[in-house]
Amino acid sequence: TGKIVYVSITAPPWRAQLHNTGGIAKLNLATGAVNIIPFVGDNPIGMAHTADGRFTYVNDSESSDVFKIDDATNTVVGHTSAGVAGPYGLVLNWDESMLYPIGKGEGGHNIGSVVGVINAVTFAPPRQMFQSLPIELGGSASSIDHGILHPDPNVNELWISNMNGWEMIVLDLNTHKVSAYI
């Protein structure tokens, strides 16, 4: 809607002593009001929002979990494994039934080359959905970090940036296979 800004917040001194201290700050641009949604891991990074504004999904790169936030109540209503180490980017598919955590390996050596899959409707752990997860990207994929959907829903592709390989990796979302390296 362009009315709210979501900001990842962390408390580095607390992270050394405690876990799950990260949060999301929601800033209302019209009123200046800020709501804090606590307990979304230690290092919340990637976010994806449903088109209707009902839910926000957040990656925690330290625990490799994904949290589901109800935007009306500003509460965490679920969390599950990202299915990849150190998720960075997070993308919803066009019908918002699947989430794709981009496995960068954040917090480690940033040598990720796989993409996870989560059922956004049931918020099921990835291992319950497909035979072969995470999705191996192959090629020179070695430090992937962000993803974006092709602008045409009929094309049904996820484009993933590979900062170490200086390329974009095109993942066909119908087959979950790489279709191109650009």
Side-chain angles (χ1 to χ4, degrees), residues 60-75:
D60 175 30
S61 67
E62 295 294 319
S63 68
S64 299
D65 285 336
V66 177
F67 294 83
K68 183 177 185 177
I69 297 170
D70 181 319
D71 284 326
T73 63
N74 294 322
T75 56

PDB file of all heavy atoms in Angstrom, residues 60-75:
ATOM      1  N   ASP A  60      15.208 -15.734   9.055  1.00  0.00           N
ATOM      2  CA  ASP A  60      16.257 -15.505  10.051  1.00  0.00           C
ATOM      3  C   ASP A  60      17.500 -16.213   9.548  1.00  0.00           C
ATOM      4  O   ASP A  60      17.529 -17.444   9.456  1.00  0.00           O
ATOM      5  CB  ASP A  60      15.869 -16.032  11.422  1.00  0.00           C
ATOM      6  CG  ASP A  60      17.001 -15.897  12.430  1.00  0.00           C
ATOM      7  OD1 ASP A  60      17.811 -14.960  12.298  1.00  0.00           O
ATOM      8  OD2 ASP A  60      17.093 -16.737  13.329  1.00  0.00           O
ATOM      9  N   SER A  61      18.523 -15.443   9.219  1.00  0.00           N
ATOM     10  CA  SER A  61      19.721 -16.034   8.626  1.00  0.00           C
ATOM     11  C   SER A  61      20.553 -16.825   9.626  1.00  0.00           C
ATOM     12  O   SER A  61      21.356 -17.659   9.233  1.00  0.00           O
ATOM     13  CB  SER A  61      20.592 -14.947   7.997  1.00  0.00           C
ATOM     14  OG  SER A  61      21.123 -14.103   8.991  1.00  0.00           O
ATOM     15  N   GLU A  62      20.389 -16.600  10.920  1.00  0.00           N
ATOM     16  CA  GLU A  62      21.176 -17.321  11.921  1.00  0.00           C
ATOM     17  C   GLU A  62      20.595 -18.705  12.207  1.00  0.00           C
ATOM     18  O   GLU A  62      21.308 -19.694  12.224  1.00  0.00           O
ATOM     19  CB  GLU A  62      21.267 -16.517  13.223  1.00  0.00           C
ATOM     20  CG  GLU A  62      22.028 -15.228  13.081  1.00  0.00           C
ATOM     21  CD  GLU A  62      23.501 -15.421  12.764  1.00  0.00           C
ATOM     22  OE1 GLU A  62      24.134 -16.321  13.350  1.00  0.00           O
ATOM     23  OE2 GLU A  62      24.015 -14.658  11.930  1.00  0.00           O
ATOM     24  N   SER A  63      19.294 -18.781  12.452  1.00  0.00           N
ATOM     25  CA  SER A  63      18.672 -20.069  12.780  1.00  0.00           C
ATOM     26  C   SER A  63      18.203 -20.820  11.542  1.00  0.00           C
ATOM     27  O   SER A  63      17.809 -21.979  11.645  1.00  0.00           O
ATOM     28  CB  SER A  63      17.480 -19.862  13.716  1.00  0.00           C
ATOM     29  OG  SER A  63      16.427 -19.178  13.033  1.00  0.00           O
ATOM     30  N   SER A  64      18.221 -20.150  10.393  1.00  0.00           N
ATOM     31  CA  SER A  64      17.724 -20.721   9.140  1.00  0.00           C
ATOM     32  C   SER A  64      16.251 -21.104   9.247  1.00  0.00           C
ATOM     33  O   SER A  64      15.813 -22.149   8.774  1.00  0.00           O
ATOM     34  CB  SER A  64      18.590 -21.914   8.700  1.00  0.00           C
ATOM     35  OG  SER A  64      19.917 -21.494   8.486  1.00  0.00           O
ATOM     36  N   ASP A  65      15.486 -20.232   9.892  1.00  0.00           N
ATOM     37  CA  ASP A  65      14.047 -20.396  10.030  1.00  0.00           C
ATOM     38  C   ASP A  65      13.332 -19.302   9.248  1.00  0.00           C
ATOM     39  O   ASP A  65      13.913 -18.272   8.904  1.00  0.00           O
ATOM     40  CB  ASP A  65      13.616 -20.286  11.494  1.00  0.00           C
ATOM     41  CG  ASP A  65      13.959 -21.515  12.305  1.00  0.00           C
ATOM     42  OD1 ASP A  65      14.104 -22.616  11.718  1.00  0.00           O
ATOM     43  OD2 ASP A  65      14.070 -21.393  13.535  1.00  0.00           O
ATOM     44  N   VAL A  66      12.033 -19.519   9.008  1.00  0.00           N
ATOM     45  CA  VAL A  66      11.164 -18.514   8.419  1.00  0.00           C
ATOM     46  C   VAL A  66      10.001 -18.311   9.374  1.00  0.00           C
ATOM     47  O   VAL A  66       9.422 -19.281   9.881  1.00  0.00           O
ATOM     48  CB  VAL A  66      10.654 -18.932   7.021  1.00  0.00           C
ATOM     49  CG1 VAL A  66       9.690 -17.904   6.459  1.00  0.00           C
ATOM     50  CG2 VAL A  66      11.820 -19.139   6.066  1.00  0.00           C
ATOM     51  N   PHE A  67       9.672 -17.050   9.624  1.00  0.00           N
ATOM     52  CA  PHE A  67       8.590 -16.695  10.535  1.00  0.00           C
ATOM     53  C   PHE A  67       7.432 -16.098   9.738  1.00  0.00           C
ATOM     54  O   PHE A  67       7.641 -15.372   8.781  1.00  0.00           O
ATOM     55  CB  PHE A  67       9.080 -15.677  11.569  1.00  0.00           C
ATOM     56  CG  PHE A  67      10.116 -16.233  12.494  1.00  0.00           C
ATOM     57  CD1 PHE A  67      11.446 -16.267  12.119  1.00  0.00           C
ATOM     58  CD2 PHE A  67       9.753 -16.735  13.735  1.00  0.00           C
ATOM     59  CE1 PHE A  67      12.407 -16.792  12.961  1.00  0.00           C
ATOM     60  CE2 PHE A  67      10.712 -17.265  14.581  1.00  0.00           C
ATOM     61  CZ  PHE A  67      12.039 -17.292  14.201  1.00  0.00           C
ATOM     62  N   LYS A  68       6.214 -16.400  10.188  1.00  0.00           N
ATOM     63  CA  LYS A  68       4.994 -15.882   9.560  1.00  0.00           C
ATOM     64  C   LYS A  68       4.354 -14.902  10.536  1.00  0.00           C
ATOM     65  O   LYS A  68       4.052 -15.253  11.679  1.00  0.00           O
ATOM     66  CB  LYS A  68       4.030 -17.028   9.246  1.00  0.00           C
ATOM     67  CG  LYS A  68       2.763 -16.619   8.535  1.00  0.00           C
ATOM     68  CD  LYS A  68       1.931 -17.858   8.207  1.00  0.00           C
ATOM     69  CE  LYS A  68       0.705 -17.518   7.391  1.00  0.00           C
ATOM     70  NZ  LYS A  68      -0.052 -18.737   7.019  1.00  0.00           N
ATOM     71  N   ILE A  69       4.148 -13.662  10.081  1.00  0.00           N
ATOM     72  CA  ILE A  69       3.590 -12.602  10.913  1.00  0.00           C
ATOM     73  C   ILE A  69       2.206 -12.241  10.420  1.00  0.00           C
ATOM     74  O   ILE A  69       2.002 -12.017   9.220  1.00  0.00           O
ATOM     75  CB  ILE A  69       4.492 -11.350  10.879  1.00  0.00           C
ATOM     76  CG1 ILE A  69       5.858 -11.675  11.478  1.00  0.00           C
ATOM     77  CG2 ILE A  69       3.832 -10.181  11.598  1.00  0.00           C
ATOM     78  CD1 ILE A  69       6.889 -10.579  11.258  1.00  0.00           C
ATOM     79  N   ASP A  70       1.244 -12.180  11.339  1.00  0.00           N
ATOM     80  CA  ASP A  70      -0.090 -11.671  11.036  1.00  0.00           C
ATOM     81  C   ASP A  70       0.004 -10.155  11.132  1.00  0.00           C
ATOM     82  O   ASP A  70       0.248  -9.604  12.216  1.00  0.00           O
ATOM     83  CB  ASP A  70      -1.100 -12.227  12.042  1.00  0.00           C
ATOM     84  CG  ASP A  70      -2.518 -11.763  11.781  1.00  0.00           C
ATOM     85  OD1 ASP A  70      -2.714 -10.574  11.448  1.00  0.00           O
ATOM     86  OD2 ASP A  70      -3.434 -12.578  11.932  1.00  0.00           O
ATOM     87  N   ASP A  71      -0.174  -9.458  10.015  1.00  0.00           N
ATOM     88  CA  ASP A  71       0.017  -8.010   9.994  1.00  0.00           C
ATOM     89  C   ASP A  71      -1.099  -7.237  10.692  1.00  0.00           C
ATOM     90  O   ASP A  71      -0.900  -6.087  11.071  1.00  0.00           O
ATOM     91  CB  ASP A  71       0.192  -7.506   8.563  1.00  0.00           C
ATOM     92  CG  ASP A  71       1.582  -7.814   8.026  1.00  0.00           C
ATOM     93  OD1 ASP A  71       2.547  -7.796   8.811  1.00  0.00           O
ATOM     94  OD2 ASP A  71       1.703  -8.067   6.816  1.00  0.00           O
ATOM     95  N   ALA A  72      -2.254  -7.847  10.889  1.00  0.00           N
ATOM     96  CA  ALA A  72      -3.333  -7.155  11.593  1.00  0.00           C
ATOM     97  C   ALA A  72      -3.073  -7.121  13.100  1.00  0.00           C
ATOM     98  O   ALA A  72      -3.362  -6.127  13.765  1.00  0.00           O
ATOM     99  CB  ALA A  72      -4.677  -7.827  11.316  1.00  0.00           C
ATOM    100  N   THR A  73      -2.499  -8.202  13.627  1.00  0.00           N
ATOM    101  CA  THR A  73      -2.261  -8.285  15.072  1.00  0.00           C
ATOM    102  C   THR A  73      -0.809  -8.035  15.456  1.00  0.00           C
ATOM    103  O   THR A  73      -0.483  -7.967  16.641  1.00  0.00           O
ATOM    104  CB  THR A  73      -2.678  -9.668  15.606  1.00  0.00           C
ATOM    105  OG1 THR A  73      -1.852 -10.677  14.993  1.00  0.00           O
ATOM    106  CG2 THR A  73      -4.143  -9.940  15.328  1.00  0.00           C
ATOM    107  N   ASN A  74       0.081  -7.942  14.441  1.00  0.00           N
ATOM    108  CA  ASN A  74       1.515  -7.755  14.675  1.00  0.00           C
ATOM    109  C   ASN A  74       2.101  -8.850  15.566  1.00  0.00           C
ATOM    110  O   ASN A  74       2.902  -8.582  16.468  1.00  0.00           O
ATOM    111  CB  ASN A  74       1.807  -6.373  15.270  1.00  0.00           C
ATOM    112  CG  ASN A  74       1.495  -5.269  14.305  1.00  0.00           C
ATOM    113  OD1 ASN A  74       1.722  -5.398  13.108  1.00  0.00           O
ATOM    114  ND2 ASN A  74       0.945  -4.170  14.805  1.00  0.00           N
ATOM    115  N   THR A  75       1.686 -10.081  15.294  1.00  0.00           N
ATOM    116  CA  THR A  75       2.195 -11.207  16.077  1.00  0.00           C
ATOM    117  C   THR A  75       2.734 -12.291  15.150  1.00  0.00           C
ATOM    118  O   THR A  75       2.263 -12.453  14.016  1.00  0.00           O
ATOM    119  CB  THR A  75       1.091 -11.832  16.964  1.00  0.00           C
ATOM    120  OG1 THR A  75      -0.006 -12.226  16.129  1.00  0.00           O
ATOM    121  CG2 THR A  75       0.599 -10.853  18.012  1.00  0.00           C
TER     122      THR A  75
END
